[in-house]
């Protein structure tokens, strides 16, 4: 079942969006992917707009919001990381709330990890300024069934809407030790004003194991042609990168001859990493 999960983003212009995802934050300066200074991941987020970035830039504004479960309860213990030149990490409070005070003019990698292994890790880049006053309320949703990663690459059904060719011989798991792969596919989103994408979004998938990179050639994949695009039509997509704090091009994609799938092309396109995948509506 695909859930319609609300996402709202408010700023001084009171723009509103929807997104099926999660989020939380507060202030702590740590190494990327590390824990907070006190070892608990909790901080008091008591900074003011007179705080300075490590470059000496005056900070201002904030990012704040609440994270809830698929059924609307607050999510406690979720971890958000906001990285640019350094990283901030926080654990969501009992009411699901978070807050970062003191924002620099910069590009950030923004990711959220939750205690429930059946919910995805969400990653996307954010471009913020010290004038940013942003409220992001996010509701989680569940991953699909787990597929065991084989030793030799094989096409795995992560959802009825997405298949990825993956195995331990074509991925670099890095510091992780994954055994399974899975995905989720939110049915609603309006990301363009938030993440600065250049084309309209057609579809979004969250892919686990998060941040596992292709070893050598990109991972081949196909997604269901739920938009009814004509056979042979060409489209494109991107995938979020923690390292690059931005979007990586997945290359040209094509609608299959039977019109059922949007497919990558071996040697031309594919997934350089497992993360937040976006397919653009770039058909005429």
């Amino acid at each position: 079942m695909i859930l319609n999960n609300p996402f709202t983003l408010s700023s001084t212009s009171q723009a509103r969006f929807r997104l099926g995802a999660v989020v939380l934050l507060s202030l702590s300066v740590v190494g990327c992917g590390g824990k907070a200074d006190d070892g608990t991941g909790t901080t008091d987020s008591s900074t003011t707009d007179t705080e300075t970035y490590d470059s000496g830039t005056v900070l201002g504004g904030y990012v704040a919001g609440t994270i809830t479960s698929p059924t609307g309860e607050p999510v406690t213990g979720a971890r958000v990381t906001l990285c640019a030149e350094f990283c901030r990490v926080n654990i969501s409070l009992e009411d699901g709330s978070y807050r970062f005070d003191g924002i620099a003019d910069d590009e950030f990698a923004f990711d959220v990890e939750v205690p429930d292994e059946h919910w995805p890790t969400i990653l996307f880049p954010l471009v913020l300024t010290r004038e940013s006053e942003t409220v992001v309320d996010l509701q989680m949703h569940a991953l699909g069934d787990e597929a065991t990663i084989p030793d030799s690459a094989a096409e795995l059904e992560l959802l009825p809407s997405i298949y990825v060719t993956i195995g331990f011989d074509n991925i670099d798991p890095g510091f992780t030790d994954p055994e399974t792969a899975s995905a989720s596919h939110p049915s609603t989103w309006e990301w363009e004003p938030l993440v600065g994408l250049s084309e309209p979004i057609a579809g979004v998938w969250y892919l686990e194991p998060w941040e596992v990179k292709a070893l050598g050639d990109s991972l081949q994949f196909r997604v269901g042609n739920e938009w009814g695009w004509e056979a042979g039509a060409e489209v494109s997509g991107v995938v979020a990168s923690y390292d690059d704090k931005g979007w990586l091009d997945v290359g040209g994609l094509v609608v299959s001859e039977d019109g059922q799938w949007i497919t990558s092309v071996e040697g031309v396109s594919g997934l350089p990493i497992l993360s937040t995948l976006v397919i653009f509506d770039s058909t005429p």
Side-chain angles (χ1 to χ4, degrees):
M1 176 179 181
I2 295 176
L3 302 175
N4 293 323
N5 298 316
F7 164 98
T8 60
L9 181 147
S10 305
S11 67
T12 51
S13 61
Q14 296 298 306
R16 298 184 65 83
F17 310 88
R18 292 175 61 83
L19 170 65
V22 324
V23 136
L24 34 86
L25 344 71
S26 185
L27 183 65
S28 175
V29 178
V30 298
C32 289
K35 293 186 179 295
D37 291 345
D38 64 359
T40 66
T42 57
T43 57
D44 60 14
S45 66
S46 60
T47 56
T48 69
D49 59 5
T50 60
E51 294 286 343
T52 60
Y53 205 47
D54 59 355
S55 64
T57 302
V58 175
L59 304 181
Y62 59 83
V63 179
T66 302
I67 307 139
T68 54
S69 73
T71 53
E73 293 88 0
V75 174
T76 303
R79 170 191 171 106
V80 91
T81 305
L82 188 67
C83 287
E85 294 183 36
F86 58 83
C87 293
R88 295 171 168 184
V89 178
N90 192 256
I91 306 301
S92 60
L93 303 179
E94 290 185 2
D95 62 356
S97 66
Y98 70 87
R99 183 180 179 98
F100 276 134
D101 282 303
I103 304 298
D105 300 342
D106 213 331
E107 297 179 357
F108 297 85
F110 180 73
D111 76 81
V112 179
E113 299 174 79
V114 294
D116 192 321
E117 63 182 8
H118 299 295
W119 297 347
T121 296
I122 308 304
L123 169 66
F124 49 82
L126 288 175
V127 178
L128 300 172
T129 72
R130 58 188 139 177
E131 285 81 31
S132 297
E133 296 182 349
T134 303
V135 175
V136 183
D137 295 325
L138 294 164
Q139 188 172 24
M140 291 302 295
H141 57 282
L143 288 162
D145 294 339
E146 296 178 338
T148 300
I149 300 174
D151 290 334
S152 298
E155 187 178 63
L156 303 184
E157 180 182 7
L158 305 188
L159 288 173
S161 63
I162 184 166
Y163 290 72
V164 178
T165 299
I166 184 174
F168 287 111
D169 60 349
N170 73 346
I171 61 172
D172 177 6
F175 294 107
T176 66
D177 187 22
E179 296 181 355
T180 62
S182 55
S184 58
H185 180 33
S187 59
T188 59
W189 59 88
E190 292 184 27
W191 276 12
E192 292 89 338
L194 176 63
V195 297
L197 291 170
S198 59
E199 298 183 72
I201 294 174
V204 173
W205 288 260
Y206 305 119
L207 306 177
E208 301 282 346
W210 176 71
E211 280 289 294
V212 164
K213 299 179 180 180
L215 183 63
D217 294 336
S218 296
L219 305 177
Q220 296 299 291
F221 72 100
R222 58 186 171 115
V223 300
N225 182 15
E226 60 192 73
W227 312 278
W229 294 333
E230 293 183 0
E234 296 182 0
V235 296
S236 60
V238 291
V239 64
S241 168
Y242 190 95
D243 292 338
D244 296 87
K245 299 183 288 295
W247 297 104
L248 303 180
D249 187 4
V250 303
L253 309 173
V254 63
V255 179
S256 61
E257 292 183 1
D258 61 8
Q260 298 300 305
W261 299 96
I262 313 299
T263 68
S264 58
V265 180
E266 190 167 1
V268 176
S269 56
L271 296 169
I273 195 169
L274 296 181
S275 180
T276 301
L277 170 66
V278 174
I279 302 297
F280 292 127
D281 183 0
S282 52
T283 58

